[in-house]
C-alpha cells in the first residue's frame, strides 16, 4: 500500500488533517501524520510528534515554546520536517507528501517538500497559492492548490477543495509506488543543458550531437528559475551529466540583475560528482526589465534593448574578472569530473566582432581570471579559437561530456 505523509500543525489544524487523512485512506493509501505544531498539544494524534520533529532539527520543543519567537520556532520545525520526510522516503515509507495551511503552515510543509527528489509527488493546499508561489515551490515539482476559503474547519467549500486534494495525492502516491516497484522509467541517460536566446545555436548543436550519442537532453532556460531547476535535478541524482554552457545567471547574481539563480548556482553537479562540461555563455550581460527599470546608477553603462520587456547591460572588465574568479572557485571545488571550455572569439550572439557587446578586453579579463583560478586544480581547461555559437565549439563540448560520462561509468 502506498503511503502519503501529511505534514502540518496538528495543534491548530488537527480537525482538517484528520478529515484529510480519512479521505486519503479512503483513496487506498496509508497515512503518516507529522506534527509540526509549536503552540500546544495536537488535536489529532500524530505518528511523528512535534517533539521528534524538533529533535530532528537539533532543537528542544519546550525551549522553542518558551522562547516565544514564532518565526524561529517555525524555521526549526521546517528543518526538522525536512529531515523526517527525507528519512521516511529513504525507508520506503513515503510515496507522496501533502500539507494544508496558511502562510506559516505552507512555509513549513513546503520546506520539507523541497528536500525530496524531483518526481516524488508533493501537494500543498494553501491560502497563498493565488499569489507569488516561488517561496513555496522553489525549483522543484511542488503542486499548489488554492484553498479558496481559509483553512479553518470543514465546511461545504473546504470539503470540495480538500476532497479533491485527497483524491489527487492518493492517485499520485499509488502511481509513484507502482513506478518504483517497476524500477522507474527506463530510457536514455539524461543530460541537463543551460541555454539563453543568445546561446541557442550552441545548445541546439550540442543537443543534436548528444541525441546522436544516445542521450536525452533537458534544456533549462537560464532565467533564474531555470538554473535553480537544473541545480535541483543535478543534486537529485537524475542527471548523468551537465552541459552548463550558459552561466549568465551568475552575472545577474553579482551585479543585481533580475535573472539571478542565487549564489549557489554552478555547485550542485560538482557536489554530487556528476560529470560536467562548463562554459561562459552570456557572461557578457546582466538582465533587467524594460529600459526604464534599469537602475539609475547604470545610466552610463552599455545597454542593449533586447525587446520591450528585456534590457541587457554589458559586464565590465572588473565584473568579468570577478565572475571568472567565482566560477573557477566553484569548479575547483567539484568532486566529479569537470571540464571548462573557453570560446576565445566571444561568449554570446551579441559579443561577436561587430556586435553591440563585443569587448575583447572584458572577455580577456574573464578568461585570465578563469585560467588563474583553475590552475593547479583537477579542472580540465580547454581553450578554442572559436565563438561560443560555432558548431565546432558546441560539438566539442558535447563530445567531451560524453567521454567524461563514459569514463565515469567504466570507473564505477
Amino acid at each position: 500500500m502506498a503511503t502519503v505523509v501529511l505534514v502540518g500543525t496538528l495543534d491548530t489544524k488537527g480537525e482538517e488533517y484528520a478529515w484529510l487523512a480519512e479521505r486519503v485512506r479512503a483513496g487506498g493509501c496509508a497515512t503518516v501524520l507529522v506534527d509540526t505544531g509549536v503552540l500546544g498539544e495536537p488535536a489529532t494524534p500524530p505518528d511523528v510528534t512535534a517533539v521528534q520533529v524538533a529533535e530532528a532539527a537539533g532543537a528542544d520543543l519546550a525551549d522553542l515554546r518558551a522562547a516565544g519567537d514564532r518565526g524561529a520556532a517555525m524555521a526549526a520545525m521546517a528543518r526538522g520536517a525536512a529531515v523526517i520526510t527525507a528519512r521516511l522516503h529513504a525507508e520506503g515509507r513515503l510515496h507522496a507528501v501533502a500539507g494544508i495551511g496558511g502562510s506559516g503552515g505552507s512555509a513549513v510543509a513546503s520546506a520539507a517538500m523541497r528536500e525530496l527528489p524531483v518526481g516524488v509527488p508533493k501537494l500543498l493546499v494553501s491560502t497563498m497559492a493565488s499569489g507569488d508561489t516561488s517561496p513555496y515551490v522553489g525549483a522543484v515539482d511542488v503542486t499548489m492548490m488554492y484553498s479558496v476559503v481559509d483553512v479553518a474547519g470543514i465546511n461545504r467549500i473546504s470539503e470540495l477543495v480538500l476532497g479533491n486534494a485527497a483524491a489527487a495525492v492518493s492517485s499520485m502516491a499509488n502511481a509513484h509506488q507502482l513506478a518504483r516497484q517497476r524500477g522507474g522509467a527506463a530510457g536514455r541517460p539524461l543530460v541537463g543543458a543551460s541555454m539563453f536566446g543568445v546561446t541557442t545555436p550552441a545548445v541546439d548543436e550540442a543537443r543534436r550531437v548528444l541525441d546522436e550519442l544516445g542521450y536525452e537532453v533537458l534544456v533549462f532556460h537560464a532565467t533564474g528559475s531555470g538554473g535553480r531547476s537544473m541545480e535541483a535535478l543535478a543534486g537529485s541524482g537524475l542527471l548523468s551529466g551537465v552541459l552548463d554552457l550558459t552561466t549568465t545567471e551568475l552575472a545577474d547574481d553579482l551585479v543585481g540583475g533580475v535573472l539571478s539563480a542565487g549564489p549557489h548556482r554552478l555547485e550542485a553537479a560538482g557536489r554530487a560528482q556528476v560529470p560536467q562540461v562548463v562554459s561562459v555563455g552570456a557572461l557578457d550581460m546582466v538582465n533587467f526589465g524594460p529600459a526604464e527599470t534599469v537602475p539609475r546608477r547604470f545610466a552610463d553603462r552599455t545597454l542593449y534593448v533586447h525587446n520591450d520587456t528585456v534590457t541587457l547591460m554589458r559586464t565590465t572588465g572588473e565584473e568579468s574578472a570577478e565572475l571568472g574568479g567565482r566560477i573557477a572557485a566553484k569548479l575547483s571545488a567539484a568532486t566529479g569530473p569537470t571540464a571548462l571550455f573557453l570560446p576565445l572569439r566571444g561568449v554570446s550572439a551579441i559579443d561577436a566582432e561587430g556586435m553591440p557587446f563585443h569587448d575583447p578586453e572584458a572577455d580577456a579579463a574573464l578568461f585570465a581570471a578563469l585560467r588563474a583560478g583553475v590552475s593547479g586544480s583537477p579542472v580540465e581547461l580547454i581553450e578554442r579559437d572559436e565563438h561560443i555559437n560555432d558548431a565546432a565549439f558546441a560539438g566539442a563540448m558535447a563530445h567531451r561530456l560524453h567521454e567524461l560520462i563514459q569514463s565515469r561509468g567504466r570507473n564505477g
Side-chain angles (χ1 to χ4, degrees):
M1 181 180 289
T3 300
V4 176
V5 174
L6 302 175
V7 178
T9 53
L10 302 186
D11 51 359
T12 60
K13 308 296 181 189
E15 176 189 0
E16 297 84 352
Y17 270 92
W19 191 93
L20 182 65
E22 181 181 352
R23 289 300 183 95
V24 169
R25 289 192 286 269
C29 294
T31 59
V32 173
L33 271 70
V34 177
D35 183 17
T36 59
V38 295
L39 298 178
E41 295 305 311
T44 297
D47 297 291
V48 179
T49 68
V51 171
Q52 293 171 311
V53 174
E55 289 176 347
D60 181 271
L61 182 61
D63 291 343
L64 293 175
R65 288 174 174 170
D69 187 338
R70 184 175 183 274
M74 297 298 281
M77 299 306 276
R79 295 194 303 273
V83 172
I84 295 293
T85 53
R87 184 184 303 158
L88 290 169
H89 179 258
E91 294 171 353
R93 299 172 57 204
L94 184 155
H95 302 95
V97 60
I100 55 177
S103 60
S106 297
V108 173
S110 64
M113 294 176 184
R114 292 194 302 272
E115 291 302 311
L116 294 170
V118 170
V120 176
K122 313 166 184 71
L123 177 60
L124 178 61
V125 182
S126 173
T127 61
M128 307 301 290
S130 66
D132 179 12
T133 61
S134 59
Y136 307 102
V137 175
V140 296
D141 54 339
V142 175
T143 301
M144 291 190 72
M145 179 185 291
Y146 184 44
S147 64
V148 182
V149 294
D150 202 353
V151 183
I154 301 299
N155 52 59
R156 281 188 289 174
I157 300 301
S158 61
E159 276 191 356
L160 295 173
V161 175
L162 295 182
N164 286 338
V169 77
S170 300
S171 296
M172 288 192 287
N174 284 319
H176 184 66
Q177 183 197 38
L178 185 60
R180 288 179 66 173
Q181 289 174 342
R182 291 174 174 172
R188 296 180 295 168
L190 295 177
V191 166
S194 54
M195 186 175 79
F196 220 32
V198 292
T199 61
T200 296
V203 177
D204 282 348
E205 175 63 15
R207 182 162 55 89
R208 183 191 67 77
V209 172
L210 288 167
D211 181 74
E212 290 180 351
L213 290 169
Y215 298 93
E216 182 178 352
V217 181
L218 310 177
V219 178
F220 297 87
H221 198 188
T223 56
S225 58
R228 290 191 297 272
S229 294
M230 190 173 74
E231 294 285 310
L233 275 179
S236 73
L238 291 175
L239 299 183
S240 296
V242 172
L243 187 96
D244 210 341
L245 187 142
T246 311
T247 46
T248 183
E249 290 153 316
L250 290 166
D252 283 56
D253 182 62
L254 172 66
V255 183
V258 298
L259 300 184
S260 170
H264 298 296
R265 176 73 171 86
L266 197 59
E267 295 177 7
R271 187 168 54 248
Q273 301 183 343
V274 175
Q276 59 179 336
V277 174
V278 179
S279 193
V280 290
L283 283 177
D284 57 325
M285 60 188 64
V286 179
N287 294 267
F288 296 103
E292 62 271 17
T293 68
V294 179
R296 286 190 174 185
R297 66 182 183 276
F298 297 131
D300 62 342
R301 297 283 292 272
T302 300
L303 301 176
Y304 178 78
V305 178
H306 187 62
N307 55 47
D308 290 344
T309 59
V310 176
T311 305
L312 309 175
M313 181 178 76
R314 193 18 163 132
T315 46
T316 65
E318 182 179 359
E319 291 163 351
S320 298
E322 175 64 21
L323 286 168
R326 291 188 179 190
I327 290 172
K330 291 173 183 287
L331 298 184
S332 296
T335 57
T338 301
L340 172 63
F341 276 67
L342 301 185
L344 302 183
R345 291 188 177 272
V347 303
S348 84
I350 59 173
D351 182 38
E353 186 173 356
M355 298 302 289
F357 278 8
H358 183 55
D359 187 341
E361 292 183 1
D363 287 348
L366 171 67
F367 299 149
L370 286 164
R371 293 185 191 105
V374 301
S375 177
S377 78
V379 177
E380 178 186 10
L381 179 63
I382 300 169
E383 302 188 34
R384 294 179 66 97
D385 190 26
E386 295 156 342
H387 186 271
I388 197 166
N389 284 329
D390 287 347
F393 183 84
M397 287 189 67
H399 281 289
R400 187 59 186 138
L401 180 60
H402 172 62
E403 292 166 355
L404 293 180
I405 293 172
Q406 293 294 103
S407 176
R408 177 68 182 277
R410 288 192 297 270
N411 297 329

